[in-house]
Amino acid sequence: MTILNFRADGKNQAGEFIPNPETLAKVGPIIPITLALPDDAQRAYIDRNESPPSPIKGYALIDTGASNTCFDLDVAHKAGLPIVGLSNMASASRAKQQVPTFAGKIICPTLTINVNEGMGAKLFSLNNKLIALLGRDILKSAILIYNGPAGHFSLAN
């Protein structure tokens, strides 16, 4: 079992890093990730003697309110993620709409998550560095501990 521990930090008057619950409450449980082609798509580029698109670095928000994992549409296209279908997406702010679904690979510290059907969405946050939402489709096989007062969270898979 892989356990990832993250702490939202601030600095005290002496300049020392300390847990910052307010930062965690403001930005939520985010993790640094790299979004890349799935292995089979990567091999297809290599088999054709072509250079695959470069992986893209950014952040993923762990979103217990999202049924499915989502990739930012623009980032998914830029990373060359293959479209594998269409899905209906609805949210509190939008009526149901049809969106593409992508196959991709999320790489974060000591953990790689293969996503077979990540929904395309417009994600705007963290100065456009939010490139994915980890939904309940991923979290169903993980353990998430959110410790608000201490300003940290853990994800085990």
Side-chain angles (χ1 to χ4, degrees):
M1 177 179 286
T2 302
I3 300 173
L4 302 172
N5 294 300
F6 295 92
R7 183 176 82 178
D9 288 329
K11 287 186 180 180
N12 64 16
Q13 292 179 338
E16 302 166 322
F17 284 101
I18 58 170
N20 188 339
E22 290 78 25
T23 298
L24 182 58
K26 182 178 177 183
V27 300
I30 59 167
I31 57 175
I33 66 162
T34 300
L35 186 57
L37 287 170
D39 293 339
D40 57 342
Q42 182 92 14
R43 278 191 299 277
Y45 275 94
I46 293 167
D47 290 347
R48 294 189 309 260
N49 290 324
E50 296 178 12
S51 295
S54 296
I56 298 177
K57 293 181 184 280
Y59 293 93
L61 173 68
I62 298 171
D63 188 351
T64 62
S67 299
N68 296 85
T69 295
C70 298
F71 300 130
D72 181 81
L73 274 168
D74 294 335
V75 172
H77 288 299
K78 187 175 178 183
L81 301 187
I83 296 175
V84 294
L86 296 170
S87 290
N88 289 318
M89 176 188 283
S91 70
S93 62
R94 292 187 183 212
K96 187 165 47 169
Q97 61 182 347
Q98 202 167 52
V99 298
T101 56
F102 299 89
K105 184 166 56 173
I106 296 173
I107 304 163
C108 55
T110 69
L111 181 63
T112 297
I113 303 167
N114 291 300
V115 180
N116 296 323
E117 293 186 15
M119 293 179 150
K122 289 286 186 183
L123 304 176
F124 301 102
S125 185
L126 300 173
N127 299 322
N128 293 327
K129 294 287 187 183
L130 185 65
I131 61 174
L133 299 177
L134 294 183
R136 293 190 308 268
D137 58 330
I138 300 296
L139 296 175
K140 71 182 178 187
S141 55
I143 299 169
L144 172 65
I145 299 171
Y146 184 98
N147 187 332
H152 70 81
F153 65 94
S154 299
L155 181 67
N157 190 359

